[in-house]
Amino acid sequence: MHAPARHPTLATVTPEARPQTRTVVLRAADKSAGMLDHYTDLRSAKVGYLRVTPFAALHVWDTSTHLQMRLEAHVTILIDKDVAANWDGVPAASRLSYVSTPVPGHPIAQALDYTKVSDAGSFVVLRLQISKLDALHLGPNHRRARFDRHNECVGAWLAP
């Protein structure tokens, strides 16, 4: 999948109410359910943040169409048997992305002072249930609309 939305920016909030952003990889999307899946390491900081505050925002920028999308979502952290089928679909080389020693974000002495192993026990799916989408098209005439899942996804025009 090489869609512009494949690498969105995920924003979470720390327990101290500080914003944190990082680029993630979109692994699955269910348009009718309004759900998006991202894979990560159970020990990553973002999982800890989401356990405290299970809400996130995604930012997507599509350069070719000049379209910005901002999405709000409730996040469910799926682990163990709930992600076994996902893990089975991850190529062997890619499985190394989900466990490193030391834990992600831990200080190390040198740039390559870490190891990667394959461990299904540290594999997590972050399932985002989209609640709102704000779309801004920056063409010759700027247009902006918001869609709210709690309002049957009825769109409303907004001033850009």
Side-chain angles (χ1 to χ4, degrees):
M1 178 161 123
H2 297 287
R6 178 152 167 80
H7 296 102
T9 301
L10 175 72
T12 56
V13 178
T14 70
E16 299 78 29
R18 300 279 195 194
Q20 293 289 310
T21 61
R22 80 281 294 147
T23 301
V24 294
V25 179
L26 177 63
R27 298 297 182 175
D30 184 332
K31 181 180 174 181
S32 62
M35 286 200 276
L36 303 173
D37 286 352
H38 303 278
Y39 298 169
T40 195
D41 184 326
L42 175 68
R43 302 160 310 137
S44 68
K46 67 183 155 290
V47 173
Y49 302 156
L50 289 165
R51 284 187 167 146
V52 175
T53 306
F55 298 96
L58 278 179
H59 176 263
V60 177
W61 171 249
D62 181 344
T63 302
S64 65
T65 63
H66 302 276
L67 179 65
Q68 170 187 266
M69 291 181 288
R70 295 181 305 141
L71 301 94
E72 295 178 25
H74 178 268
V75 183
T76 302
I77 301 166
L78 303 174
I79 60 172
D80 299 327
K81 66 180 186 322
D82 294 330
V83 298
N86 302 78
W87 179 254
D88 291 343
V90 175
S94 296
R95 289 181 179 188
L96 297 176
S97 297
Y98 302 106
V99 179
S100 65
T101 301
V103 173
H106 188 275
I108 54 179
Q110 300 292 321
L112 299 176
D113 283 352
Y114 64 90
T115 59
K116 291 186 164 272
V117 295
S118 176
D119 178 10
S122 288
F123 177 72
V124 172
V125 174
L126 301 178
R127 179 153 294 156
L128 282 66
Q129 174 68 59
I130 304 301
S131 57
K132 293 182 182 177
L133 181 144
D134 186 303
L136 174 62
H137 180 250
L138 297 174
N141 296 306
H142 295 186
R143 291 172 289 179
R144 182 177 174 192
R146 180 176 332 163
F147 301 89
D148 188 332
R149 190 160 190 81
H150 301 295
N151 189 22
E152 300 178 13
C153 292
V154 173
W157 291 110
L158 304 173

